[in-house]
mmCIF file of all heavy atoms in Angstrom:
data_model
loop_
_atom_site.group_PDB
_atom_site.id
_atom_site.type_symbol
_atom_site.label_atom_id
_atom_site.label_comp_id
_atom_site.label_asym_id
_atom_site.label_seq_id
_atom_site.Cartn_x
_atom_site.Cartn_y
_atom_site.Cartn_z
ATOM 1 N N ALA A 65 -81.742 101.882 -71.117
ATOM 2 C CA ALA A 65 -81.526 102.670 -72.314
ATOM 3 C C ALA A 65 -81.530 101.741 -73.518
ATOM 4 O O ALA A 65 -81.095 100.590 -73.428
ATOM 5 C CB ALA A 65 -80.198 103.410 -72.228
ATOM 6 N N ASP A 66 -82.021 102.237 -74.648
ATOM 7 C CA ASP A 66 -82.078 101.414 -75.850
ATOM 8 C C ASP A 66 -80.704 100.875 -76.243
ATOM 9 O O ASP A 66 -80.590 99.770 -76.771
ATOM 10 C CB ASP A 66 -82.662 102.213 -77.014
ATOM 11 C CG ASP A 66 -84.147 102.474 -76.862
ATOM 12 O OD1 ASP A 66 -84.808 101.757 -76.081
ATOM 13 O OD2 ASP A 66 -84.655 103.394 -77.528
ATOM 14 N N SER A 67 -79.679 101.641 -75.970
ATOM 15 C CA SER A 67 -78.335 101.264 -76.367
ATOM 16 C C SER A 67 -77.793 100.037 -75.640
ATOM 17 O O SER A 67 -76.837 99.415 -76.102
ATOM 18 C CB SER A 67 -77.376 102.442 -76.166
ATOM 19 O OG SER A 67 -77.357 102.850 -74.811
ATOM 20 N N VAL A 68 -78.397 99.687 -74.499
ATOM 21 C CA VAL A 68 -77.886 98.561 -73.718
ATOM 22 C C VAL A 68 -78.889 97.432 -73.553
ATOM 23 O O VAL A 68 -78.545 96.381 -72.988
ATOM 24 C CB VAL A 68 -77.402 99.013 -72.322
ATOM 25 C CG1 VAL A 68 -76.394 100.149 -72.449
ATOM 26 C CG2 VAL A 68 -78.573 99.438 -71.439
ATOM 27 N N LYS A 69 -80.105 97.604 -74.042
ATOM 28 C CA LYS A 69 -81.125 96.561 -73.918
ATOM 29 C C LYS A 69 -80.653 95.261 -74.542
ATOM 30 O O LYS A 69 -80.112 95.240 -75.643
ATOM 31 C CB LYS A 69 -82.431 97.003 -74.579
ATOM 32 C CG LYS A 69 -83.223 98.012 -73.780
ATOM 33 C CD LYS A 69 -84.522 98.378 -74.487
ATOM 34 C CE LYS A 69 -85.324 99.376 -73.676
ATOM 35 N NZ LYS A 69 -86.563 99.800 -74.382
ATOM 36 N N GLY A 70 -80.859 94.179 -73.820
ATOM 37 C CA GLY A 70 -80.455 92.870 -74.295
ATOM 38 C C GLY A 70 -79.031 92.517 -73.972
ATOM 39 O O GLY A 70 -78.622 91.365 -74.134
ATOM 40 N N ARG A 71 -78.248 93.501 -73.515
ATOM 41 C CA ARG A 71 -76.850 93.255 -73.194
ATOM 42 C C ARG A 71 -76.549 93.458 -71.707
ATOM 43 O O ARG A 71 -75.723 92.740 -71.148
ATOM 44 C CB ARG A 71 -75.939 94.164 -74.009
ATOM 45 C CG ARG A 71 -76.068 93.966 -75.518
ATOM 46 C CD ARG A 71 -74.990 94.734 -76.263
ATOM 47 N NE ARG A 71 -75.103 96.174 -76.037
ATOM 48 C CZ ARG A 71 -74.134 96.926 -75.505
ATOM 49 N NH1 ARG A 71 -72.977 96.376 -75.136
ATOM 50 N NH2 ARG A 71 -74.308 98.234 -75.345
ATOM 51 N N PHE A 72 -77.196 94.444 -71.098
ATOM 52 C CA PHE A 72 -76.953 94.769 -69.691
ATOM 53 C C PHE A 72 -78.135 94.325 -68.836
ATOM 54 O O PHE A 72 -79.289 94.356 -69.276
ATOM 55 C CB PHE A 72 -76.761 96.278 -69.498
ATOM 56 C CG PHE A 72 -75.492 96.841 -70.082
ATOM 57 C CD1 PHE A 72 -74.680 96.102 -70.918
ATOM 58 C CD2 PHE A 72 -75.125 98.143 -69.774
ATOM 59 C CE1 PHE A 72 -73.520 96.633 -71.452
ATOM 60 C CE2 PHE A 72 -73.969 98.691 -70.301
ATOM 61 C CZ PHE A 72 -73.164 97.939 -71.139
ATOM 62 N N THR A 73 -77.853 93.956 -67.597
ATOM 63 C CA THR A 73 -78.893 93.586 -66.649
ATOM 64 C C THR A 73 -78.618 94.248 -65.307
ATOM 65 O O THR A 73 -77.532 94.080 -64.744
ATOM 66 C CB THR A 73 -78.970 92.068 -66.452
ATOM 67 O OG1 THR A 73 -79.204 91.420 -67.703
ATOM 68 C CG2 THR A 73 -80.110 91.716 -65.497
ATOM 69 N N ILE A 74 -79.594 94.991 -64.809
ATOM 70 C CA ILE A 74 -79.469 95.609 -63.499
ATOM 71 C C ILE A 74 -80.168 94.725 -62.468
ATOM 72 O O ILE A 74 -81.204 94.122 -62.748
ATOM 73 C CB ILE A 74 -80.055 97.037 -63.488
ATOM 74 C CG1 ILE A 74 -79.749 97.745 -62.161
ATOM 75 C CG2 ILE A 74 -81.554 97.026 -63.770
ATOM 76 C CD1 ILE A 74 -80.111 99.233 -62.160
ATOM 77 N N SER A 75 -79.600 94.629 -61.286
ATOM 78 C CA SER A 75 -80.194 93.844 -60.213
ATOM 79 C C SER A 75 -79.810 94.464 -58.880
ATOM 80 O O SER A 75 -78.936 95.334 -58.817
ATOM 81 C CB SER A 75 -79.748 92.380 -60.284
ATOM 82 O OG SER A 75 -78.339 92.273 -60.136
ATOM 83 N N ARG A 76 -80.471 94.032 -57.824
ATOM 84 C CA ARG A 76 -80.127 94.538 -56.497
ATOM 85 C C ARG A 76 -80.356 93.468 -55.453
ATOM 86 O O ARG A 76 -81.181 92.569 -55.620
ATOM 87 C CB ARG A 76 -80.924 95.810 -56.169
ATOM 88 C CG ARG A 76 -82.418 95.610 -55.991
ATOM 89 C CD ARG A 76 -83.156 96.954 -55.929
ATOM 90 N NE ARG A 76 -82.765 97.757 -54.780
ATOM 91 C CZ ARG A 76 -83.110 99.027 -54.593
ATOM 92 N NH1 ARG A 76 -83.854 99.657 -55.502
ATOM 93 N NH2 ARG A 76 -82.710 99.678 -53.508
ATOM 94 N N ASP A 77 -79.631 93.584 -54.363
ATOM 95 C CA ASP A 77 -79.758 92.698 -53.221
ATOM 96 C C ASP A 77 -79.889 93.604 -52.004
ATOM 97 O O ASP A 77 -78.894 94.083 -51.472
ATOM 98 C CB ASP A 77 -78.546 91.779 -53.108
ATOM 99 C CG ASP A 77 -78.693 90.759 -51.998
ATOM 100 O OD1 ASP A 77 -79.512 90.954 -51.089
ATOM 101 O OD2 ASP A 77 -77.975 89.743 -52.046
ATOM 102 N N ASN A 78 -81.121 93.842 -51.589
ATOM 103 C CA ASN A 78 -81.365 94.783 -50.503
ATOM 104 C C ASN A 78 -80.779 94.313 -49.170
ATOM 105 O O ASN A 78 -80.386 95.134 -48.345
ATOM 106 C CB ASN A 78 -82.866 95.036 -50.349
ATOM 107 C CG ASN A 78 -83.451 95.779 -51.528
ATOM 108 O OD1 ASN A 78 -82.737 96.483 -52.252
ATOM 109 N ND2 ASN A 78 -84.749 95.627 -51.747
ATOM 110 N N ALA A 79 -80.742 93.010 -48.961
ATOM 111 C CA ALA A 79 -80.175 92.475 -47.726
ATOM 112 C C ALA A 79 -78.702 92.826 -47.594
ATOM 113 O O ALA A 79 -78.181 92.940 -46.487
ATOM 114 C CB ALA A 79 -80.370 90.966 -47.663
ATOM 115 N N LYS A 80 -78.031 92.982 -48.733
ATOM 116 C CA LYS A 80 -76.616 93.329 -48.743
ATOM 117 C C LYS A 80 -76.365 94.790 -49.094
ATOM 118 O O LYS A 80 -75.211 95.213 -49.167
ATOM 119 C CB LYS A 80 -75.865 92.441 -49.736
ATOM 120 C CG LYS A 80 -75.878 90.968 -49.386
ATOM 121 C CD LYS A 80 -75.091 90.162 -50.407
ATOM 122 C CE LYS A 80 -75.058 88.697 -50.043
ATOM 123 N NZ LYS A 80 -74.298 87.898 -51.037
ATOM 124 N N ASN A 81 -77.439 95.538 -49.318
ATOM 125 C CA ASN A 81 -77.324 96.941 -49.731
ATOM 126 C C ASN A 81 -76.444 97.083 -50.971
ATOM 127 O O ASN A 81 -75.551 97.931 -51.030
ATOM 128 C CB ASN A 81 -76.774 97.801 -48.591
ATOM 129 C CG ASN A 81 -77.740 97.939 -47.434
ATOM 130 O OD1 ASN A 81 -78.954 97.835 -47.605
ATOM 131 N ND2 ASN A 81 -77.209 98.183 -46.249
ATOM 132 N N MET A 82 -76.718 96.243 -51.957
ATOM 133 C CA MET A 82 -75.910 96.218 -53.167
ATOM 134 C C MET A 82 -76.782 96.355 -54.415
ATOM 135 O O MET A 82 -77.910 95.850 -54.467
ATOM 136 C CB MET A 82 -75.113 94.920 -53.264
ATOM 137 C CG MET A 82 -74.101 94.723 -52.149
ATOM 138 S SD MET A 82 -72.705 95.868 -52.286
ATOM 139 C CE MET A 82 -71.879 95.212 -53.737
ATOM 140 N N VAL A 83 -76.250 97.024 -55.406
ATOM 141 C CA VAL A 83 -76.840 97.120 -56.735
ATOM 142 C C VAL A 83 -75.785 96.684 -57.730
ATOM 143 O O VAL A 83 -74.605 97.016 -57.574
ATOM 144 C CB VAL A 83 -77.316 98.545 -57.055
ATOM 145 C CG1 VAL A 83 -77.990 98.593 -58.420
ATOM 146 C CG2 VAL A 83 -78.270 99.048 -55.982
ATOM 147 N N TYR A 84 -76.208 95.953 -58.751
ATOM 148 C CA TYR A 84 -75.266 95.410 -59.718
ATOM 149 C C TYR A 84 -75.651 95.796 -61.140
ATOM 150 O O TYR A 84 -76.811 96.049 -61.448
ATOM 151 C CB TYR A 84 -75.210 93.885 -59.627
ATOM 152 C CG TYR A 84 -74.934 93.360 -58.245
ATOM 153 C CD1 TYR A 84 -75.971 92.928 -57.428
ATOM 154 C CD2 TYR A 84 -73.636 93.299 -57.755
ATOM 155 C CE1 TYR A 84 -75.724 92.443 -56.159
ATOM 156 C CE2 TYR A 84 -73.375 92.818 -56.480
ATOM 157 C CZ TYR A 84 -74.418 92.395 -55.686
ATOM 158 O OH TYR A 84 -74.164 91.917 -54.427
ATOM 159 N N LEU A 85 -74.658 95.807 -61.998
ATOM 160 C CA LEU A 85 -74.895 95.977 -63.420
ATOM 161 C C LEU A 85 -74.053 94.946 -64.152
ATOM 162 O O LEU A 85 -72.831 95.070 -64.213
ATOM 163 C CB LEU A 85 -74.535 97.385 -63.896
ATOM 164 C CG LEU A 85 -74.851 97.683 -65.364
ATOM 165 C CD1 LEU A 85 -76.369 97.719 -65.577
ATOM 166 C CD2 LEU A 85 -74.224 98.994 -65.807
ATOM 167 N N GLN A 86 -74.710 93.912 -64.656
ATOM 168 C CA GLN A 86 -74.040 92.893 -65.437
ATOM 169 C C GLN A 86 -73.992 93.361 -66.879
ATOM 170 O O GLN A 86 -75.025 93.616 -67.486
ATOM 171 C CB GLN A 86 -74.779 91.559 -65.341
ATOM 172 C CG GLN A 86 -74.172 90.439 -66.178
ATOM 173 C CD GLN A 86 -72.793 90.034 -65.701
ATOM 174 O OE1 GLN A 86 -72.585 89.860 -64.505
ATOM 175 N NE2 GLN A 86 -71.849 89.894 -66.619
ATOM 176 N N MET A 87 -72.800 93.469 -67.435
ATOM 177 C CA MET A 87 -72.612 93.975 -68.783
ATOM 178 C C MET A 87 -72.025 92.870 -69.648
ATOM 179 O O MET A 87 -70.914 92.400 -69.397
ATOM 180 C CB MET A 87 -71.699 95.195 -68.781
ATOM 181 C CG MET A 87 -72.177 96.314 -67.856
ATOM 182 S SD MET A 87 -71.142 97.802 -67.958
ATOM 183 C CE MET A 87 -69.610 97.151 -67.275
ATOM 184 N N ASN A 88 -72.769 92.460 -70.652
ATOM 185 C CA ASN A 88 -72.327 91.431 -71.586
ATOM 186 C C ASN A 88 -72.210 92.006 -72.989
ATOM 187 O O ASN A 88 -72.747 93.065 -73.288
ATOM 188 C CB ASN A 88 -73.310 90.259 -71.597
ATOM 189 C CG ASN A 88 -73.434 89.571 -70.261
ATOM 190 O OD1 ASN A 88 -72.467 89.468 -69.504
ATOM 191 N ND2 ASN A 88 -74.638 89.076 -69.958
ATOM 192 N N SER A 89 -71.517 91.287 -73.849
ATOM 193 C CA SER A 89 -71.330 91.704 -75.240
ATOM 194 C C SER A 89 -70.878 93.151 -75.327
ATOM 195 O O SER A 89 -71.416 93.954 -76.092
ATOM 196 C CB SER A 89 -72.629 91.502 -76.032
ATOM 197 O OG SER A 89 -73.044 90.154 -75.998
ATOM 198 N N LEU A 90 -69.885 93.485 -74.552
ATOM 199 C CA LEU A 90 -69.425 94.866 -74.465
ATOM 200 C C LEU A 90 -68.845 95.358 -75.787
ATOM 201 O O LEU A 90 -68.215 94.604 -76.529
ATOM 202 C CB LEU A 90 -68.397 95.011 -73.359
ATOM 203 C CG LEU A 90 -68.995 95.033 -71.943
ATOM 204 C CD1 LEU A 90 -67.926 94.757 -70.904
ATOM 205 C CD2 LEU A 90 -69.665 96.383 -71.685
ATOM 206 N N LYS A 91 -69.081 96.629 -76.050
ATOM 207 C CA LYS A 91 -68.624 97.296 -77.257
ATOM 208 C C LYS A 91 -67.717 98.458 -76.885
ATOM 209 O O LYS A 91 -67.831 99.006 -75.790
ATOM 210 C CB LYS A 91 -69.818 97.828 -78.060
ATOM 211 C CG LYS A 91 -70.870 96.799 -78.404
ATOM 212 C CD LYS A 91 -72.074 97.463 -79.062
ATOM 213 C CE LYS A 91 -73.150 96.454 -79.390
ATOM 214 N NZ LYS A 91 -74.331 97.102 -80.024
ATOM 215 N N PRO A 92 -66.836 98.869 -77.788
ATOM 216 C CA PRO A 92 -65.983 100.023 -77.492
ATOM 217 C C PRO A 92 -66.780 101.263 -77.099
ATOM 218 O O PRO A 92 -66.314 102.048 -76.267
ATOM 219 C CB PRO A 92 -65.229 100.243 -78.806
ATOM 220 C CG PRO A 92 -65.133 98.877 -79.394
ATOM 221 C CD PRO A 92 -66.459 98.230 -79.066
ATOM 222 N N GLU A 93 -67.965 101.439 -77.668
ATOM 223 C CA GLU A 93 -68.790 102.589 -77.332
ATOM 224 C C GLU A 93 -69.376 102.536 -75.926
ATOM 225 O O GLU A 93 -69.983 103.503 -75.466
ATOM 226 C CB GLU A 93 -69.918 102.785 -78.363
ATOM 227 C CG GLU A 93 -70.689 101.521 -78.672
ATOM 228 C CD GLU A 93 -70.199 100.834 -79.932
ATOM 229 O OE1 GLU A 93 -68.975 100.636 -80.071
ATOM 230 O OE2 GLU A 93 -71.040 100.487 -80.788
ATOM 231 N N ASP A 94 -69.199 101.415 -75.224
ATOM 232 C CA ASP A 94 -69.595 101.323 -73.826
ATOM 233 C C ASP A 94 -68.544 101.926 -72.897
ATOM 234 O O ASP A 94 -68.782 102.046 -71.692
ATOM 235 C CB ASP A 94 -69.839 99.869 -73.425
ATOM 236 C CG ASP A 94 -71.037 99.258 -74.136
ATOM 237 O OD1 ASP A 94 -72.069 99.944 -74.276
ATOM 238 O OD2 ASP A 94 -70.940 98.083 -74.547
ATOM 239 N N THR A 95 -67.396 102.270 -73.443
ATOM 240 C CA THR A 95 -66.334 102.860 -72.641
ATOM 241 C C THR A 95 -66.810 104.158 -72.006
ATOM 242 O O THR A 95 -67.274 105.066 -72.695
ATOM 243 C CB THR A 95 -65.094 103.124 -73.503
ATOM 244 O OG1 THR A 95 -64.565 101.878 -73.969
ATOM 245 C CG2 THR A 95 -64.021 103.855 -72.706
ATOM 246 N N ALA A 96 -66.701 104.236 -70.693
ATOM 247 C CA ALA A 96 -67.188 105.401 -69.964
ATOM 248 C C ALA A 96 -66.887 105.229 -68.483
ATOM 249 O O ALA A 96 -66.493 104.150 -68.031
ATOM 250 C CB ALA A 96 -68.697 105.568 -70.155
ATOM 251 N N VAL A 97 -67.080 106.301 -67.745
ATOM 252 C CA VAL A 97 -67.115 106.212 -66.298
ATOM 253 C C VAL A 97 -68.552 105.903 -65.909
ATOM 254 O O VAL A 97 -69.473 106.611 -66.317
ATOM 255 C CB VAL A 97 -66.651 107.516 -65.626
ATOM 256 C CG1 VAL A 97 -66.799 107.415 -64.106
ATOM 257 C CG2 VAL A 97 -65.205 107.818 -65.992
ATOM 258 N N TYR A 98 -68.756 104.858 -65.141
ATOM 259 C CA TYR A 98 -70.084 104.426 -64.746
ATOM 260 C C TYR A 98 -70.371 104.852 -63.318
ATOM 261 O O TYR A 98 -69.553 104.637 -62.419
ATOM 262 C CB TYR A 98 -70.217 102.907 -64.881
ATOM 263 C CG TYR A 98 -70.397 102.461 -66.305
ATOM 264 C CD1 TYR A 98 -69.349 102.539 -67.212
ATOM 265 C CD2 TYR A 98 -71.629 101.977 -66.756
ATOM 266 C CE1 TYR A 98 -69.519 102.155 -68.530
ATOM 267 C CE2 TYR A 98 -71.798 101.588 -68.070
ATOM 268 C CZ TYR A 98 -70.747 101.679 -68.953
ATOM 269 O OH TYR A 98 -70.926 101.285 -70.261
ATOM 270 N N TYR A 99 -71.548 105.450 -63.124
ATOM 271 C CA TYR A 99 -71.944 105.975 -61.833
ATOM 272 C C TYR A 99 -73.191 105.279 -61.314
ATOM 273 O O TYR A 99 -74.155 105.081 -62.053
ATOM 274 C CB TYR A 99 -72.244 107.474 -61.927
ATOM 275 C CG TYR A 99 -71.073 108.325 -62.325
ATOM 276 C CD1 TYR A 99 -70.818 108.609 -63.659
ATOM 277 C CD2 TYR A 99 -70.224 108.859 -61.362
ATOM 278 C CE1 TYR A 99 -69.748 109.401 -64.038
ATOM 279 C CE2 TYR A 99 -69.152 109.656 -61.724
ATOM 280 C CZ TYR A 99 -68.919 109.922 -63.062
ATOM 281 O OH TYR A 99 -67.859 110.713 -63.424
ATOM 282 N N CYS A 100 -73.180 104.952 -60.057
ATOM 283 C CA CYS A 100 -74.353 104.468 -59.352
ATOM 284 C C CYS A 100 -75.073 105.672 -58.765
ATOM 285 O O CYS A 100 -74.424 106.623 -58.302
ATOM 286 C CB CYS A 100 -73.930 103.502 -58.247
ATOM 287 S SG CYS A 100 -75.259 102.827 -57.244
ATOM 288 N N ALA A 101 -76.408 105.670 -58.786
ATOM 289 C CA ALA A 101 -77.164 106.822 -58.326
ATOM 290 C C ALA A 101 -78.441 106.417 -57.611
ATOM 291 O O ALA A 101 -79.086 105.433 -57.969
ATOM 292 C CB ALA A 101 -77.518 107.727 -59.509
ATOM 293 N N GLY A 102 -78.807 107.201 -56.603
ATOM 294 C CA GLY A 102 -80.038 106.991 -55.854
ATOM 295 C C GLY A 102 -81.119 107.949 -56.301
ATOM 296 O O GLY A 102 -80.900 109.158 -56.345
ATOM 297 N N TYR A 103 -82.289 107.419 -56.603
ATOM 298 C CA TYR A 103 -83.404 108.193 -57.150
ATOM 299 C C TYR A 103 -84.131 108.987 -56.073
ATOM 300 O O TYR A 103 -84.342 108.508 -54.954
ATOM 301 C CB TYR A 103 -84.373 107.231 -57.830
ATOM 302 C CG TYR A 103 -85.624 107.852 -58.408
ATOM 303 C CD1 TYR A 103 -85.621 108.383 -59.687
ATOM 304 C CD2 TYR A 103 -86.803 107.880 -57.678
ATOM 305 C CE1 TYR A 103 -86.763 108.936 -60.234
ATOM 306 C CE2 TYR A 103 -87.948 108.434 -58.218
ATOM 307 C CZ TYR A 103 -87.927 108.960 -59.491
ATOM 308 O OH TYR A 103 -89.075 109.500 -60.027
ATOM 309 N N MET A 104 -84.556 110.202 -56.455
ATOM 310 C CA MET A 104 -85.359 111.041 -55.568
ATOM 311 C C MET A 104 -86.764 111.239 -56.124
ATOM 312 O O MET A 104 -87.750 110.846 -55.507
ATOM 313 C CB MET A 104 -84.689 112.389 -55.335
ATOM 314 C CG MET A 104 -85.468 113.322 -54.415
ATOM 315 S SD MET A 104 -84.567 114.847 -54.017
ATOM 316 C CE MET A 104 -84.492 115.616 -55.642
#
């Protein structure tokens, strides 16, 4: 999303069945419940 470009990085490790979201330079407007989702 444009709102997080340059600040957030998504990555995954399939061997560990893990997905990550590295969030840097956090702002108050980033406050939220964050959900992981599988695409169909």
Side-chain angles (χ1 to χ4, degrees):
D66 289 341
S67 59
V68 306
K69 284 181 179 177
R71 299 189 298 121
F72 291 10
T73 302
I74 188 171
S75 61
R76 67 191 297 170
D77 185 340
N78 292 337
K80 297 181 178 180
N81 292 334
M82 297 290 290
V83 183
Y84 307 98
L85 184 68
Q86 178 66 46
M87 305 184 294
N88 298 326
S89 302
L90 283 163
K91 305 174 181 180
E93 49 263 49
D94 294 319
T95 295
V97 176
Y98 283 71
Y99 297 91
C100 179
Y103 178 86
M104 180 174 65

